[in-house]
Amino acid sequence: MRTIRGDLLQFALEGEFDAIVHGCNCQCQMGKGIALAIKQKFPEAYAADLATAKGDSSKLGTISVAEIRREDRAFHVVNGYTQFHWRGPGVKADYEAIRKVMKAVRTGFSGQRIGYPRIGAGLAGGDWSVIASIIDQELAGENHALVEYAS
């Protein structure tokens, strides 16, 4: 896993990535963290989320995708359904769902430049060392990068 510092969304706008992936809950709520920033900057990604069934646990491990076109650039935002909800204490990240999401990302975006934040390790409370291992396994051989936020 390559790690870079900066703003994932800005990197996507500047053409650094063909696809960016973030973790979502299954409730069609992109209300905090990077999901909120994506919802505000790329409403097409939120529309893709809203096109899925709210509260459907079968979404865990699946993705919805939005194509983003800005000026002369295009890239995709991948909403990865990595947690069922966001409420209450404890870990909300579902490691098996994260694995399935990364398999879907590999299937859909193999050979492309893929960027992501610490999916499942922020507000969802997952263990980054476990999640990073899953990502490395599922995206082995792909051009992918963790973007650690720095303004």
Side-chain angles (χ1 to χ4, degrees), residues 24 26 57 60-61 81-85 91-101 119-120 124-126 130-131 134:
C24 287
C26 296
S57 63
L60 272 173
Y81 297 101
T82 57
Q83 64 189 79
F84 182 66
H85 64 83
V91 175
K92 288 143 199 88
D94 181 314
Y95 299 124
E96 188 54 34
I98 292 168
R99 183 173 302 282
K100 289 178 181 176
V101 162
I119 294 171
V130 171
I131 296 165
I134 291 168

Side-chain angles (χ1 to χ4, degrees), residues 7-10 12 20-24 30-49 66 68 70 75-80 115-117 119:
D7 182 333
L8 177 63
L9 308 187
Q10 191 60 40
I20 59 171
V21 185
H22 72 112
C24 287
M30 293 173 69
K32 289 189 178 177
I34 195 165
L36 178 59
I38 287 171
K39 176 182 178 179
Q40 292 170 339
K41 192 166 260 187
F42 309 127
E44 303 95 325
Y46 185 52
D49 185 34
I68 310 299
R70 298 291 187 274
F75 60 93
H76 292 91
V77 173
V78 178
N79 301 318
Y116 47 84
I119 294 171

